[in-house]
Amino acid sequence: MLKVEGSTANLAGDVDDVMRPSELVQDWLSTCVSQHELCRKPFHGKGDIIEQSVDHIPPRRLIQTFEFCWGVKLPKRRLVEDAFLLRAPYVVLSHCWGSTDKRPLCTTRDNFAMHQRHMAWHQFPQTFQDAIQLCMEISIQYLWIDSLCIIQDDEDDWRLESANMANIYERALFTIAASSAVNFTEGLFKVRKSLNLVEIPYNDPEGERTDPVLFFIEPDLGKCLSTSPLNQRAWVMQEYFLSRRTVHFTTQGIIWSCKNGKRPHTRHMTSEFGSSWEEVFEDEWSRLVQSYTRRELTYKSDKLVAIEGLATRFQSRGEESGYRQGLFERHMPHDLLWYGEGRLLRDVGNGIPSWSWASTTGPISFKASVFENAETFHAKIAPHSYRDFEVKENLPFDSILYMNALVRRIDNLEGPLQCQAFCFEDVQDMGFSGRMHEDYKNGSIAVAPTFALLSAGKKVGWGVFDEHGK
């Protein structure tokens, strides 16, 4: 229920004033910082991250949003190098870049020095302007934006900063998520849709005055957030999981999310309308990977990079070790039993071995027994060094696995095509008719031997081995 301007309804305490976005965020942030112990802890749960402590180290670069001059807050926008010396709180912006043919304002080697001196307001796209304005209104002096704080045409700088992404998001005071904006031009506030309001009369407690008030049906903000453009992006998954606090700007309203869930593996969600709920916070690597493969990624080369920070945090908890090409050794060989939900495309030439889910594009799932009735799989996985194999050129150091397992040689037609060392595109490029059975039988397609992986005498999966013992 909302009041019409000049109505006495709010004076009687029946209707609250509508708060500005910055007032909402300030109120949520103050409550969270002062009262939520869980929100001070990093992902691995060890120790606290106290925003004002000496251990609070900002990223290498930040955007300054304002400066104080004789106690007055004045706009000042520039790129600050060596920002970690500031020991100041900062906020990060999570946003969709949009199509590859139109990029947001970026820092490059050519304009790096100029950005350190000054960045004109008109240069910033709408989403950046809104984020800067929000920071100014709640007195947060520094903001991290990926396109500006990473030198985009410097591969070494990009590699260094992307490896530090986990720290950047986890140590931030909170994350601003432009959840409903499909690109950098739509902003935080302009995407907002109008509420369907109904005006009804209101009588004050003394019955002396009748004023109108407005009623509305609260939108389903949980659904709005889950289907938002930003939530479909692969890079955003680790940003969301590692951020201790996030404020989402959607078409239906503003949502606050933090780690103060009442149940294990949940996040506390609050809307601007006063409603709150708990959202499941996945804490199992296999399930995270399944969700990750259903998200969009512009550059296939980012597939493991965009989840590297999350993998690092899983290892820092001490529960996982031996991270290899998107999988943890502790869950092998079961987690090698992944399969495609529909058609998978093999990403040839990306240097990722075929036993990893990351060597394909498309949604994958892991064998149900991993999550439900896990069976004993009598197999052992171990890495091997280059000395043990005749290594092909450009093969990553952790791409070779040795498995000692009970297997049985089967006919190639008995195993799924996804196991074979080629993909459908390869077959088409080679000029085959697509009649796979005939091509197998007449020897037109040469494939590696196929084996059934056995456990307690029954099949639990298929495998194709580059080399196998006698």
Side-chain angles (χ1 to χ4, degrees):
M1 185 168 61
L2 302 174
K3 71 178 181 68
V4 176
E5 177 128 3
S7 171
T8 57
N10 68 310
L11 298 177
D14 293 331
V15 181
D16 293 329
D17 282 318
V18 176
M19 299 177 71
R20 290 169 49 85
S22 58
E23 294 173 332
L24 273 171
V25 174
Q26 184 68 75
D27 186 56
W28 285 328
L29 178 62
S30 298
T31 300
C32 186
V33 170
S34 62
Q35 300 180 20
H36 297 171
E37 182 179 351
L38 289 175
C39 298
R40 302 189 189 109
K41 294 184 178 294
F43 184 84
H44 54 64
K46 300 174 183 177
D48 285 357
I49 297 179
I50 306 300
E51 276 73 18
Q52 303 296 335
S53 74
V54 294
D55 295 326
H56 179 69
I57 303 176
R60 179 179 177 182
R61 303 184 188 99
L62 289 169
I63 303 298
Q64 183 177 359
T65 62
F66 66 88
E67 67 177 352
F68 284 106
C69 183
W70 298 99
V72 178
K73 192 187 303 180
L74 299 177
K76 185 177 182 64
R77 289 109 195 183
R78 69 184 182 96
L79 182 65
V80 179
E81 178 77 354
D82 295 333
F84 52 81
L85 298 175
L86 298 170
R87 293 292 199 275
Y90 66 95
V91 171
V92 299
L93 174 65
S94 178
H95 66 106
C96 289
W97 282 40
S99 59
T100 55
D101 59 341
K102 190 176 181 181
R103 306 179 77 191
L105 176 64
C106 292
T107 296
T108 63
R109 284 175 287 191
D110 288 339
N111 63 22
F112 177 57
M114 180 180 65
H115 281 184
Q116 289 181 275
R117 293 191 298 271
H118 175 69
M119 302 179 72
W121 182 249
H122 67 84
Q123 290 182 288
F124 293 102
Q126 189 65 53
T127 301
F128 294 9
Q129 288 186 358
D130 290 347
I132 292 171
Q133 188 64 36
L134 178 64
C135 287
M136 288 189 63
E137 291 182 9
I138 61 177
S139 298
I140 301 297
Q141 196 168 9
Y142 297 100
L143 172 67
W144 188 89
I145 303 176
D146 53 2
S147 68
L148 296 177
C149 297
I150 301 175
I151 303 176
Q152 296 298 315
D153 59 352
D154 187 326
E155 290 187 11
D156 291 337
D157 190 72
W158 187 90
R159 191 178 301 109
L160 180 66
E161 295 303 306
S162 63
N164 192 39
M165 207 71 75
N167 288 329
I168 291 173
Y169 278 86
E170 192 169 60
R171 292 172 178 169
L173 193 58
F174 67 92
T175 296
I176 300 171
S179 299
S180 291
V182 298
N183 58 47
F184 52 87
T185 67
E186 294 192 339
L188 302 179
F189 312 114
K190 289 184 178 180
V191 296
R192 178 70 176 265
K193 294 180 179 179
S194 300
L195 292 171
N196 294 320
L197 302 174
V198 178
E199 186 174 306
I200 64 172
Y202 168 84
N203 295 321
D204 69 10
E206 287 74 25
E208 298 177 355
R209 182 176 172 183
T210 299
D211 286 318
V213 292
L214 303 174
F215 273 81
F216 63 91
I217 298 176
E218 183 175 344
D220 187 348
L221 289 177
K223 181 178 180 181
C224 178
L225 181 58
S226 64
T227 59
S228 66
L230 187 63
N231 204 43
Q232 312 311 310
R233 304 299 301 170
W235 270 101
V236 173
M237 192 177 85
Q238 75 169 3
E239 296 173 6
Y240 178 62
F241 275 84
L242 295 176
S243 297
R244 294 173 294 136
R245 312 174 182 98
T246 304
V247 56
H248 303 270
F249 291 85
T250 76
T251 56
Q252 302 292 342
I254 306 174
I255 306 169
W256 174 266
S257 167
C258 66
K259 297 174 63 176
N260 197 46
K262 295 179 181 178
R263 294 173 294 136
H265 313 313
T266 61
R267 273 184 177 261
H268 175 68
M269 315 289 287
T270 303
S271 80
E272 64 175 88
F273 306 108
S275 60
S276 62
W277 67 96
E278 302 288 305
E279 184 176 273
V280 175
F281 187 69
E282 291 292 357
D283 197 40
E284 190 169 324
W285 183 254
S286 298
R287 293 189 186 276
L288 289 174
V289 167
Q290 289 182 168
S291 173
Y292 181 73
T293 60
R294 285 156 174 78
R295 294 171 178 251
E296 300 169 3
L297 193 64
T298 302
Y299 302 105
K300 293 180 180 179
S301 58
D302 291 349
K303 190 166 295 180
L304 289 177
V305 179
I307 203 173
E308 182 180 356
L310 200 53
T312 301
R313 287 301 183 265
F314 264 77
Q315 293 182 87
S316 65
R317 294 193 305 190
E319 299 173 4
E320 306 289 359
S321 61
Y323 180 69
R324 298 164 60 79
Q325 303 287 333
L327 295 170
F328 288 101
E329 289 181 6
R330 188 169 75 90
H331 299 288
M332 294 184 188
H334 268 120
D335 280 6
L336 293 175
L337 301 178
W338 54 268
Y339 60 92
E341 293 283 0
R343 181 179 178 181
L344 288 181
L345 300 180
R346 180 73 69 184
D347 299 334
V348 179
N350 65 357
I352 300 176
S354 60
W355 48 262
S356 170
W357 56 268
S359 66
T360 65
T361 293
I364 66 101
S365 292
F366 292 87
K367 196 175 187 299
S369 63
V370 175
F371 308 126
E372 296 168 5
N373 301 317
E375 56 193 302
T376 301
F377 188 14
H378 300 288
K380 182 179 181 181
I381 297 292
H384 271 251
S385 67
Y386 282 152
R387 295 188 299 272
D388 299 317
F389 294 91
E390 183 180 347
V391 180
K392 297 180 181 179
E393 187 178 0
N394 297 326
L395 196 63
F397 76 95
D398 59 349
S399 65
I400 299 174
L401 286 181
Y402 174 80
M403 181 167 71
N404 184 6
L406 183 62
V407 300
R408 176 170 59 86
R409 177 79 177 265
I410 61 175
D411 186 274
N412 287 325
L413 296 180
E414 193 175 340
L417 293 179
Q418 289 92 329
C419 283
Q420 305 306 331
F422 57 80
C423 65
F424 291 101
E425 283 67 25
D426 294 335
V427 174
Q428 292 172 0
D429 292 342
M430 294 165 65
F432 291 113
S433 64
R435 296 187 296 273
M436 306 301 291
H437 282 226
E438 288 77 2
D439 290 332
Y440 273 129
K441 290 178 180 178
N442 63 27
S444 299
I445 298 179
V447 298
T450 304
F451 294 85
L453 308 179
L454 305 179
S455 177
K458 62 180 181 180
K459 300 174 188 173
V460 294
W462 289 266
V464 177
F465 299 88
D466 295 322
E467 296 182 11
H468 58 91
K470 302 298 184 183

